[in-house]
Amino acid sequence: MKVSEKEVTSTYGSRYFTESIPKYVMPEDEMPARAAYQLIHDELNLDGNPALNLASFVTTWMEPEADKLIMESMDKNFVDNDEYPQTEKIQERVINMLARLFNAPKECHSVGTGTIGSSEAIMLGLLAHKWTWKKRRQEEGKPFNKPNIVMGADVHTVWEKFALYFDVELKLIPLERDTYTVTVDKVAEEIDENTICVGAVLGTTFTGQMDPIKEINDLLMDIKKENGWDIPIHVDGASGGFVAPFLYPELEWDFRLEQVRSINVSGHKYGLVYPGVGWLIFKDKTDLPEELIFKVNYLGGLMPNYSLNFSKGSSTIIAQYYNLIRLGKSGYTDIMENMMSNSQYLARKLEDSGKFEIINKEGMFPLVTVSLKDEEFTVFQLSEKLRQKGWIVPAYTLPENAEDVAVMRMVVKENFGREMIDLLVDDVMEACESFEGEETVEKVEDQNPSLLY
């Protein structure tokens, strides 16, 4: 390699910008760091802008102090507890804070773990419930080869993955039109003595709504009294677990309910941390079978481990702790109130246009899901049109029994303020008008073919 290319030539003046770089085979020779950086940096410009990404719930902004802590801990593998004992203590603090935030009873000894995200947390939680059910059946001398799990079709796809990967019968309850969440009556029809768990969602992926968690708990309490079936609830709080405690502190969905035995939450969603970090909290240590905890010693000390993914970074765990002590309850409440206010503002603007119907009318969480009213174009066309302006707004159909309903969902995050909402609405209206203009031209051309010339 020429000395001039290493030390003198400007990055864009080097030969690396006039030659194709191997994309699928490792190159034979090295290149200057600045050239490699610039090549990748420029290519990533083709990605969407995270600030305009309304599809994802994932956090796209943190304070500079959090960024600094993240960079300072990027080289720490969390699983090395013996080498990084203070990081393990920080995770334990977060688990305790979350257990108390979710109103774990004082007499309970809550336990939990940090995960890569809510998908790992859900699988670990459900695996524990399957194991507990299996042990109980064995002790009772009953068959344990036909476990099932009951949930609504409003769940995230990871619930279906769990059923497939861990050989559990999936009892997926179809949605009802205009409801879009599971109902207590349908849950009652599906559960039996082989049900390891009922899944309930706090903030569904599709519409941002909430399953009737308290009513499901009451149903399971009655069944336990009548039949002796002790069926737990796992609450998927990936989207709502960091919202409900601050906006609706009196809402009973958490460990205040007897059958809610485990909760997952995504720190990288409304926990306001970059991806990826999730949390799994068990109401009591008895809800996590000891047999599922591996104790390994080949990293230095004797280390208990309950995870699907052995290695994970420490930086997002530390960033979660930063947010919890930096913001406190009042800080999180202020941010959640701002996001809710902005999402309600967005919903009003879209509804007032007369072109949209709001699906999640109760608006419990900071997102807006809409369908089109009697328009000749579709939400899929509108989504594609908005992409031309840089907006990433997903369009999709709802699950079974409501698959004829096509919607668009807009997630309002911490750094998405009123000015951005006004810009989005302006572009939405402009896109709608462009489609309507095309329809008008087509109608006129059909009636007056001569106008084509």
Side-chain angles (χ1 to χ4, degrees):
M1 189 179 298
K2 297 177 182 177
V3 174
S4 61
E5 288 184 341
K6 283 186 174 182
E7 301 174 358
V8 180
T9 305
S10 69
T11 300
Y12 288 117
S14 66
R15 67 181 177 86
Y16 302 100
F17 287 81
T18 59
E19 297 177 3
S20 294
I21 303 300
K23 294 181 177 61
Y24 308 109
V25 177
M26 190 174 178
E28 295 295 330
D29 299 317
E30 62 180 307
M31 68 172 65
R34 62 184 183 181
Y37 165 81
Q38 200 65 49
L39 282 164
I40 298 170
H41 172 84
D42 292 349
E43 185 172 342
L44 289 176
N45 285 329
L46 295 173
D47 274 349
N49 182 345
L52 303 182
N53 182 4
L54 306 184
S56 175
F57 288 83
V58 172
T59 295
T60 55
W61 179 86
M62 292 191 76
E63 292 179 323
E65 292 79 6
D67 290 343
K68 187 175 181 182
L69 281 170
I70 288 170
M71 292 307 300
E72 290 171 355
S73 54
M74 286 289 285
D75 55 352
K76 293 182 180 179
N77 185 0
F78 178 79
V79 79
D80 297 335
N81 292 165
D82 199 55
E83 290 83 350
Y84 310 122
Q86 203 59 34
T87 301
E88 182 186 15
K89 290 179 182 178
I90 285 176
Q91 173 176 268
E92 290 172 359
R93 293 175 193 173
V94 173
I95 289 167
N96 276 274
M97 288 182 182
L98 293 179
R100 286 161 174 77
L101 184 66
F102 300 153
N103 294 293
K106 291 181 179 178
E107 64 271 17
C108 290
H109 183 181
S110 299
V111 295
T113 186
T115 61
I116 299 299
S118 275
S119 291
E120 183 186 7
I122 288 169
M123 287 198 182
L124 288 172
L126 300 184
L127 189 59
H129 293 311
K130 178 186 178 182
W131 203 263
T132 298
W133 170 85
K134 176 183 175 182
K135 287 174 63 180
R136 185 170 64 243
R137 299 284 289 182
Q138 285 175 317
E139 290 168 0
E140 295 171 350
K142 297 178 180 179
F144 52 88
N145 61 333
K146 293 184 178 180
N148 68 65
I149 186 167
V150 176
M151 67 197 79
D154 55 335
V155 296
H156 189 276
T157 187
V158 68
W159 290 76
E160 299 175 67
K161 283 185 179 180
F162 168 81
L164 180 64
Y165 294 171
F166 292 97
D167 196 22
V168 175
E169 179 190 357
L170 176 67
K171 291 191 173 184
L172 195 66
I173 300 171
L175 300 185
E176 294 184 8
R177 191 178 178 87
D178 299 326
T179 303
Y180 310 128
T181 59
V182 73
T183 63
V184 177
D185 291 342
K186 295 294 185 181
V187 171
E189 293 174 6
E190 296 295 338
I191 56 179
D192 57 33
E193 64 180 350
N194 292 316
T195 301
I196 66 168
C197 179
V198 172
V201 187
L202 183 74
T204 69
T205 299
F206 294 99
T207 61
Q209 294 172 293
M210 171 184 167
D211 285 337
I213 300 172
K214 187 177 187 306
E215 290 81 356
I216 294 173
N217 176 81
D218 294 343
L219 167 71
L220 296 179
M221 289 283 291
D222 290 341
I223 288 175
K224 181 164 66 171
K225 188 180 299 182
E226 294 170 8
N227 300 338
W229 302 342
D230 188 5
I231 302 173
I233 297 173
H234 177 94
V235 175
D236 181 356
S239 300
F242 267 110
V243 178
F246 305 110
L247 294 184
Y248 319 109
E250 303 305 317
L251 182 66
E252 294 185 31
W253 64 273
D254 52 19
F255 291 135
R256 285 170 288 188
L257 303 177
E258 184 169 331
Q259 296 307 112
V260 173
R261 308 303 302 183
S262 57
I263 298 171
N264 71 275
V265 64
S266 290
H268 59 229
K269 292 184 179 177
Y270 293 120
L272 310 180
V273 177
Y274 295 131
V277 61
W279 300 96
L280 171 64
I281 313 295
F282 291 99
K283 179 182 284 187
D284 190 81
K285 62 181 181 180
T286 57
D287 295 308
L288 174 57
E290 186 68 25
E291 297 92 328
L292 295 181
I293 302 173
F294 284 80
K295 294 179 174 64
V296 296
N297 64 1
Y298 44 77
L299 292 173
L302 186 63
M303 182 198 71
N305 180 265
Y306 184 51
S307 65
L308 296 178
N309 193 79
F310 194 64
S311 292
K312 67 177 179 229
S314 297
S315 58
T316 51
I317 291 171
I318 292 168
Q320 184 73 77
Y321 184 58
Y322 168 85
N323 272 352
L324 292 174
I325 66 170
R326 156 75 176 94
L327 296 172
K329 290 183 179 179
S330 64
Y332 265 99
T333 299
D334 288 342
I335 292 170
M336 298 305 155
E337 287 178 345
N338 280 350
M339 288 193 291
M340 276 304 303
S341 176
N342 286 333
S343 66
Q344 290 163 355
Y345 175 74
L346 173 59
R348 285 196 304 272
K349 296 273 283 187
L350 293 174
E351 191 170 36
D352 289 348
S353 73
K355 300 180 184 298
F356 298 94
E357 179 180 352
I358 308 300
I359 299 295
N360 57 329
K361 295 184 188 297
E362 66 275 19
M364 290 187 64
F365 302 103
L367 70 153
V368 180
T369 308
V370 300
S371 60
L372 282 167
K373 280 184 177 180
D374 302 323
E375 299 290 348
E376 294 297 324
F377 54 94
T378 68
V379 289
F380 301 99
Q381 291 172 307
L382 180 56
S383 174
E384 185 63 31
K385 194 79 168 178
L386 290 172
R387 191 64 182 257
Q388 296 173 13
K389 288 290 188 75
W391 299 106
I392 303 172
V393 183
Y396 50 88
T397 57
L398 297 182
E400 186 180 353
N401 278 20
E403 62 266 31
D404 59 323
V405 180
V407 301
M408 289 200 319
R409 187 195 67 219
M410 289 149 277
V411 178
V412 175
K413 288 180 275 199
E414 179 183 9
N415 57 334
F416 197 71
R418 291 291 171 99
E419 291 300 317
M420 293 298 290
I421 290 173
D422 287 336
L423 290 171
L424 170 64
V425 172
D426 286 346
D427 284 341
V428 168
M429 293 302 111
E430 182 181 320
C432 291
E433 289 166 6
S434 72
F435 286 123
E436 290 164 355
E438 291 171 4
E439 292 162 18
T440 302
V441 170
E442 287 175 2
K443 289 177 182 177
V444 171
E445 289 173 350
D446 288 342
Q447 295 170 0
N448 303 284
S450 61
L451 292 178
L452 291 172
Y453 303 99

